[in-house]
Amino acid sequence: MDIAVNTSHSKYHVNDKGYYGRFGGAYIPEMLYPNVEELKEQYLQIISEPAFQAEFDQLLTDYVGRPSPLFFAKRLSEKYKAKIYLKREDLNHTGAHKVNNTIGQILLAQRLGKKKIIAETGAGQHGVATATVCALMGLECVVYMGSIDIERQAPNVARMKMLGATVVPATSGSKTLKDATNEAIRHWINHPVDTHYIIGSVVGPHPYPDMVARFQSVVSEEMRKQLLEKTGNANPDYVIACVGGGSNAAGAFFHYLDEEAVKLVAVEAAGKGVNSGFSAATSQLGKMGIIHASKTLLMQTEDGQIVEPHSISAGLDYPGVGPLHAHLYETGRAQFLNATDDEALAAAYELSLLEGIIPALESAHALAKLKDLPLKPEDVVVVCLSGRGDKDLETYIKHLK
Ligand SMILES: *Cc1c(COP(=O)(O)O)cnc(C)c1O
């Protein structure tokens, strides 16, 4: 694994102060300072250790099922007149890319001597990925979840419980993800010594965005090898990924950030339309603010209160975007597009019929933009298929024509 690769020369990776351009940092309450400082001081050293990398590697291989295939999608390629490959994160254990990160963080937590894991979850996908690795390692797991989300996401709540986690309802505010996050942070303040907080995307205070990006960077590391084998060139023309907090995109972009010839396309959820009032297209609607202890782009009111986002896919329903992506947007290194609920649904049905793969609704947002890119027949395009569609079946059935 190349997760400890030196990136200090890069203008797109995090700098030694924890910033990506104007974005990032660690805007934490004083009482969390020792925890975050401990992580910041140790994470690079720990993930550089050969024994850590060997264990991470082995679990990714034998437990997660990596490397995930890079699949040439022939019929999709014929339709969009380019060479389209799918990076099959949907085939991972637990059905999405999120487990790459939770495996990395649980190994880190063990080396920091932590006995207990906390996490927050919206749709429950990160909660399940966290409960999974806690069961694997025999560590206690507490997952905070908004009480409304607990009702909406019953199957994932059942999975977490079956995996031995305690699911604690967050009953304040809007009773959704941001309230669950507040509860998790409150817990961490009260249990700073024995507890590690596993954040599920490239969000939160430094060093989380960089740490999570490194654990997910296995995605682009594999892509380079697989593309070289299949096309003779490690670099594609385009990499396309959906962005909620931005972790699958960060993983798919990581080893290409400094390869300016590779076009990076980030796709946000437009919900019912960017200007409909029911959207999660943060780069289009957001302004600089602080969310989850990080300075980044954030959907907010004139008074700086967080605006409730909307997307048909729970994994993209987040009012901010990680600081790396805010920087990629501001510098123009990545192109930011967005797809509506309806476009994502259409793309999910299309992939199912053309390739026999039912994608997660989140991943379908990335697929939905193939029609809007100026693709040429010789272009090599990689779409990060971040997850499988099993969890979205109810939504798909409701909209089946
Ligand atoms: C959670 C999730 C996402 C969004 O999270 P990122 O951190 O932006 O990757 C995307 N796809 C799937 C399948 C998810 O479960």
Side-chain angles (χ1 to χ4, degrees):
M1 285 302 129
D2 222 0
I3 52 176
V5 60
N6 182 355
T7 56
S8 56
H9 57 283
S10 168
K11 58 185 181 206
Y12 300 114
H13 288 275
V14 77
N15 68 22
D16 55 5
K17 304 232 161 32
Y19 282 82
Y20 301 84
R22 301 192 292 144
F23 305 103
Y27 296 80
I28 46 172
E30 193 185 338
M31 291 169 81
L32 278 184
Y33 186 77
N35 298 52
V36 173
E37 197 62 18
E38 176 187 41
L39 259 188
K40 192 179 94 184
E41 291 301 319
Q42 300 206 40
Y43 82 108
L44 282 176
Q45 194 196 330
I46 290 175
I47 68 174
S48 305
E49 288 164 7
F52 180 96
Q53 298 202 13
E55 198 176 353
F56 184 57
D57 242 344
Q58 190 234 323
L59 284 171
L60 290 184
T61 305
D62 297 340
Y63 189 67
V64 176
R66 305 204 70 95
S68 67
L70 184 72
F71 174 65
F72 177 63
K74 186 161 171 283
R75 299 184 68 207
L76 198 68
S77 296
E78 279 162 11
K79 166 128 198 202
Y80 291 103
K81 304 193 171 35
K83 300 191 181 81
I84 301 171
Y85 290 84
L86 305 176
K87 182 58 175 161
R88 299 290 310 273
E89 295 302 296
D90 60 315
L91 294 178
N92 292 341
H93 178 47
T94 69
H97 66 289
K98 286 198 172 74
V99 71
N100 303 326
N101 167 49
T102 57
I103 296 252
Q105 285 202 50
I106 199 107
L107 294 178
L108 188 87
Q110 286 180 322
R111 281 159 178 78
L112 291 170
K114 305 294 179 181
K115 300 283 177 258
K116 188 167 171 174
I117 299 296
I118 58 168
E120 89 290 334
T121 194
Q125 295 300 109
H126 173 57
V128 169
T130 303
T132 297
V133 297
C134 287
L136 178 69
M137 297 301 178
L139 289 187
E140 190 184 339
C141 180
V142 177
V143 180
Y144 290 89
M145 190 169 184
S147 54
I148 289 184
D149 290 334
I150 288 180
E151 277 171 40
R152 289 194 291 205
Q153 310 289 341
N156 276 341
V157 175
R159 283 186 188 102
M160 285 184 264
K161 288 184 175 164
M162 188 161 175
L163 292 161
T166 306
V167 181
V168 178
T171 54
S172 62
S174 56
K175 305 181 174 61
T176 57
L177 179 61
K178 73 176 165 52
D179 312 287
T181 303
N182 292 339
E183 295 291 335
I185 289 175
R186 201 166 298 148
H187 179 115
W188 208 23
I189 289 174
N190 291 326
H191 304 83
V193 179
D194 66 343
T195 301
H196 176 68
Y197 178 14
I198 299 191
I199 293 181
S201 189
V202 284
V203 301
H206 177 68
Y208 279 99
D210 182 55
M211 183 169 76
V212 176
R214 284 173 189 273
F215 292 143
Q216 292 292 359
S217 71
V218 62
V219 175
S220 50
E221 191 186 342
E222 289 174 3
M223 275 160 54
R224 292 183 62 89
K225 286 196 199 112
Q226 292 166 323
L227 281 171
L228 187 63
E229 225 168 72
K230 289 174 198 291
T231 71
N233 186 348
N235 290 358
D237 296 286
Y238 291 88
V239 181
I240 313 176
C242 66
V243 172
S247 68
N248 86 89
F253 294 172
F254 195 92
H255 291 286
Y256 295 119
L257 286 171
D258 296 309
E259 304 274 353
E260 306 263 0
V262 179
K263 298 180 196 73
L264 306 177
V265 181
V267 185
E268 296 178 308
K272 295 181 193 304
V274 172
N275 296 311
S276 65
F278 297 92
S279 172
T282 305
S283 69
Q284 305 305 305
L285 298 169
K287 289 203 225 38
M288 173 93 95
I290 290 172
I291 181 171
H292 226 132
S294 174
K295 191 189 271 187
T296 188
L297 292 174
L298 166 64
M299 287 165 48
Q300 52 189 306
T301 63
E302 298 270 295
D303 307 328
Q305 294 300 306
I306 292 170
V307 171
E308 277 294 315
H310 167 87
S311 167
I312 193 168
S313 69
L316 304 185
D317 204 351
Y318 183 69
V321 67
L324 161 65
H325 294 290
H327 183 54
L328 295 179
Y329 173 73
E330 192 166 83
T331 55
R333 174 65 188 95
Q335 181 181 3
F336 278 67
L337 303 177
N338 52 77
T340 63
D341 293 351
D342 289 345
E343 286 181 292
L345 282 168
Y349 289 127
E350 180 177 86
L351 188 73
S352 304
L353 290 176
L354 286 182
E355 301 291 348
I357 298 170
I358 301 177
L361 263 168
E362 290 84 359
S363 325
H365 285 72
L367 294 162
K369 293 294 105 174
L370 287 168
K371 64 176 163 46
D372 297 337
L373 291 169
L375 300 178
K376 298 194 288 287
E378 65 275 19
D379 283 341
V380 172
V381 180
V382 179
V383 182
C384 185
L385 205 70
S386 55
R388 67 177 83 129
D390 306 32
K391 68 184 178 56
D392 298 313
L393 221 55
E394 213 179 303
T395 309
Y396 288 148
I397 290 167
K398 220 186 323 182
H399 292 86
L400 204 56
K401 290 192 190 87

